[in-house]
Amino acid sequence: MPGLVQPPPTAGRAMAAEVAEQPHRWERLLDRFRARDSDLARAVSLVQAYRPRFVLLVARGTSDHAALYAKYLFEILCGLPCGLVSPSTMTTYDATPAASGVLMVGISQSGGSPDLVRSLEVGRARGALTLAVTNRADSPLARAAECHVDVLAGPERAVAATKSYTAQLLALYLLVDRLRGGSGAAAARLPEAGARVLDQEAHIAGLAQRYRFASRLVCTGRGYSYPTAREAALKLMETSYVAAQAFSGADLLHGPLAMIDPQVPVMAVVSEGRGGDAMLPVLDRLTASGADILTVGRASAADRADATVVLPDDVPEELSPLLEILPFQTLARHLAIARGADPDRPRGLNKVTETL
């Protein structure tokens, strides 16, 4: 039974170190962004010359949530329609869809999954401009693409991706921001704001005891925060073995709300922007259902919650996912240890998953 097994004394050390490292990694990526000859600058130049009419994103696992975040960025900030690729159409079914006028972006920590490589190969052969966003400049995915952006997260030893995920988010934001003519200035506050969030570890560790015996829970958010909800659910599943489902706040009200009761905790991401505004009516419906609610984000949502983690409000909504995921990474680590697991080495999982 969870909580009765004593984890090893080293449990979670690698994950803890990598979570703590994130503000430093963001600073490094911001420094690289300022260089005129960076891989990011070269990628922007190629995309601008190509002038895509559509963006396709291909990813798996945690990187799929970074891709979903990029979808919001491209559509909202650049006005480009954007879709998520199903790699099996090109691997299992051998499809070769036309891709002229398409920017195809492959996102992966390792850059080693064969189905992602094949997707970029097909896209490039069919006329797409291909871009890889990875944590390994020498990876097969980086070699398959016409241009590559290194997220500079450094080696990641824990199986659960943490610093590589937020580095992907920041790299994607900086790419899109430069494409729309931005300077990246809004991201300058992120490292300091991230450090402030990580300073709340003691509070978040206490929350882990609140959910120690939960068998299932729901994560939810809207807009830019929806990818955070999905990544939070994945982190809780892969480290703590709790059945966590993720829904957009809108989809939650279209049916899944019926399963919510006081025994199903809800973790709601409520930003300071429009997505957070859209979540407030969802919180009201959850409260009426008797749900135990944790909010992560704006302070003004605390009166609708049973527990809360308040985040800094001095970064724009489109950057809030970098801060929002930090409490969930910390919660996942502490909850896993409280339940007798080692979050560095989840059962049955490897660091690189090679899907075909």
Side-chain angles (χ1 to χ4, degrees), residues 8 53 60 78 90 119 166 201 238 241 256 274 276 285 300 316 327 355:
R53 296 177 293 104
R60 292 288 193 191
C78 290
M90 287 169 272
S119 296
T166 58
E201 177 162 3
E238 68 183 345
Y241 317 142
R274 297 185 189 184
R285 293 285 299 277
S300 61
T355 47

Side-chain angles (χ1 to χ4, degrees), residues 42-68:
R42 290 192 295 273
V44 168
S45 179
L46 282 173
V47 174
Q48 288 174 332
Y50 183 76
R51 300 182 67 182
R53 296 177 293 104
F54 194 87
V55 181
L56 285 177
L57 301 153
V58 55
R60 292 288 193 191
T62 283
S63 297
D64 207 27
H65 306 148
L68 181 57

Side-chain angles (χ1 to χ4, degrees), residues 15 62 159-162 165 230-241 325 328-329 332:
M15 187 176 178
T62 283
V159 169
T162 53
Y165 173 67
R230 290 184 53 172
E231 174 62 9
L234 176 60
K235 282 293 154 284
L236 291 162
M237 285 189 285
E238 68 183 345
T239 59
S240 305
Y241 317 142
I325 196 58
F328 290 109
Q329 293 172 345

Side-chain angles (χ1 to χ4, degrees), residues 34-180:
R34 299 180 186 104
R36 290 176 178 266
D37 61 344
S38 69
D39 53 5
L40 193 65
R42 290 192 295 273
V44 168
S45 179
L46 282 173
V47 174
Q48 288 174 332
Y50 183 76
R51 300 182 67 182
R53 296 177 293 104
F54 194 87
V55 181
L56 285 177
L57 301 153
V58 55
R60 292 288 193 191
T62 283
S63 297
D64 207 27
H65 306 148
L68 181 57
Y69 169 70
K71 184 178 189 297
Y72 280 90
L73 291 174
F74 276 112
E75 292 189 344
I76 296 171
L77 302 184
C78 290
L80 283 170
C82 192
L84 303 180
V85 171
S86 297
S88 61
T89 63
M90 287 169 272
T91 56
T92 304
Y93 295 97
D94 297 318
T96 57
S100 178
V102 171
L103 169 63
M104 183 177 281
V105 184
I107 306 170
S108 170
Q109 282 96 20
S110 69
S113 188
D115 58 347
L116 305 188
V117 175
R118 176 60 180 162
S119 296
L120 256 62
E121 289 173 343
V122 170
R124 186 171 182 176
R126 295 288 282 153
L129 173 65
T130 53
L131 164 64
V133 178
T134 81
N135 196 33
R136 275 190 54 199
D138 61 345
S139 65
L141 192 67
R143 293 196 298 270
E146 289 159 270
C147 51
H148 174 256
V149 172
D150 189 339
V151 303
L152 302 177
E156 200 169 46
R157 294 190 297 118
V159 169
T162 53
K163 63 178 181 174
S164 59
Y165 173 67
T166 58
Q168 286 176 335
L169 299 187
L170 183 54
L172 289 162
Y173 170 81
L174 293 173
L175 172 75
V176 171
D177 187 56
R178 182 166 283 187
L179 284 173
R180 65 166 177 169

